[in-house]
Amino acid sequence: MKDVNTDALRGHMDALLLSVLESEPLHGYAIIEALQERSGGALNVPTGTVYPALRRLEQAGYLASEWATVGGRKRRTYRLTSAGRTALAGERSAWRRFASTIGSVLEPRPTK
Amino acid sequence: MKDVNTDALRGHMDALLLSVLESEPLHGYAIIEALQERSGGALNVPTGTVYPALRRLEQAGYLASEWATVGGRKRRTYRLTSAGRTALAGERSAWRRFASTIGSVLEPRPTK
DNA sequence: AGCCTACATGTAGGTGTTCTACATGTAGGC
DNA sequence: GCCTACATGTAGAACACCTACATGTAGGCT
């Protein structure tokens, strides 16, 4: 599967991150793997994008985190706050609107 | 209809511009109107975005332009080059891939 | 005359999210 | 001793978009 141009993700990253955290808390590395998995391998988001973005979302109040040590390795595990759930719902509807808008321009149905 | 967040357009602008020029040449102002129309009013792209973008696309070889005077007003009319048509096809398939990727993460089908 | 809206193009400067590249460290297999 | 996977993080650059401004014509209303 060809990679999507990650530059095009601008503005949709938050939605993706909130979405993979919806069903269970995950740490950064696992989030990256989850994105790859869910996208069928199309989404290879670099660590330099994910970690700062997670901090941003935590500061915004959408995520909360705590440290854990598993197998001698330290992890920071993030979970959705209730504000995060609300934000996710908003991101989802914004995405649907966005996709349908772009679609309507890119592949217009012939009117006649 | 609620506006889409135009900031999220980052990376998809070229596709939109090439797409509205597919069936007929248009000048900048008309392009903005065409985008509004096709999107059902959701797409209000500011002139400060469109005009520089058109120049960028012309420099890339995807568009060609010529001046015209209509009703005392000067217009720069853009048309797709053949390279532009090829680029548009690429943008379309990139968009489909992108939308399906984001969709698969944002609204995963339950596997069980 | 004066004002407003629609039409029409363009530039300057700022913003912000993303990228690339680097830095650091543990665990475990070969 | 080396490599890969696991794991987090920072610094700095890139760049496409935004806001705000600048300029000018045409035409309607008062």
Side-chain angles (χ1 to χ4, degrees):
Chain A
M1 162 85 77
K2 214 166 168 185
D3 274 19
V4 300
N5 175 15
T6 42
D7 236 340
L9 289 177
R10 225 165 249 276
H12 309 287
M13 202 65 205
D14 295 4
L16 295 176
L17 295 175
L18 295 174
S19 185
V20 290
L21 289 171
E22 189 181 25
S23 54
E24 50 173 353
L26 291 172
H27 62 286
Y29 195 87
I31 289 171
I32 292 171
E33 289 180 323
L35 287 173
Q36 283 176 342
E37 208 177 311
R38 283 215 211 180
S39 65
L43 229 40
N44 292 299
V45 189
T47 65
T49 297
V50 170
Y51 290 109
L54 289 171
R55 290 169 157 252
R56 187 163 42 74
L57 289 170
E58 184 171 24
Q59 266 207 311
Y62 299 150
L63 298 180
S65 70
E66 24 188 72
W67 283 98
T69 301
V70 177
R73 292 197 188 91
K74 280 180 186 173
R75 295 172 172 177
R76 169 126 73 167
T77 303
Y78 289 90
R79 62 180 169 77
L80 272 188
T81 63
S82 68
R85 278 179 203 284
T86 307
L88 174 57
E91 293 280 359
R92 279 215 173 96
S93 75
W95 164 254
R96 285 194 208 102
R97 200 162 54 238
F98 178 78
S100 126
T101 299
I102 303 299
S104 68
V105 175
L106 238 52
E107 307 180 43
R109 294 149 209 283
T111 336
K112 56 157 122 160
Chain B
M1 163 83 78
K2 213 166 167 186
D3 274 21
V4 300
N5 175 16
T6 42
D7 235 341
L9 289 176
R10 228 164 247 275
H12 309 287
M13 203 65 204
D14 294 4
L16 295 175
L17 295 174
L18 295 174
S19 185
V20 290
L21 289 170
E22 189 180 23
S23 54
E24 50 173 351
L26 291 172
H27 61 287
Y29 195 87
I31 288 171
I32 292 170
E33 288 179 325
L35 287 173
Q36 283 176 342
E37 208 177 311
R38 282 216 212 180
S39 65
L43 230 40
N44 292 300
V45 190
T47 65
T49 297
V50 170
Y51 290 109
L54 289 171
R55 287 167 160 254
R56 186 162 43 75
L57 290 170
E58 184 171 25
Q59 266 207 311
Y62 299 151
L63 299 179
S65 70
E66 21 187 75
W67 284 97
T69 301
V70 178
R73 293 198 187 89
K74 282 180 184 172
R75 294 175 173 174
R76 169 127 70 167
T77 303
Y78 289 90
R79 62 179 169 78
L80 271 188
T81 62
S82 67
R85 276 179 205 285
T86 306
L88 173 56
E91 293 282 359
R92 279 215 174 96
S93 74
W95 164 254
R96 284 193 209 103
R97 199 162 55 238
F98 178 78
S100 125
T101 298
I102 303 298
S104 68
V105 175
L106 237 52
E107 307 180 45
R109 294 150 210 284
T111 336
K112 53 159 124 159

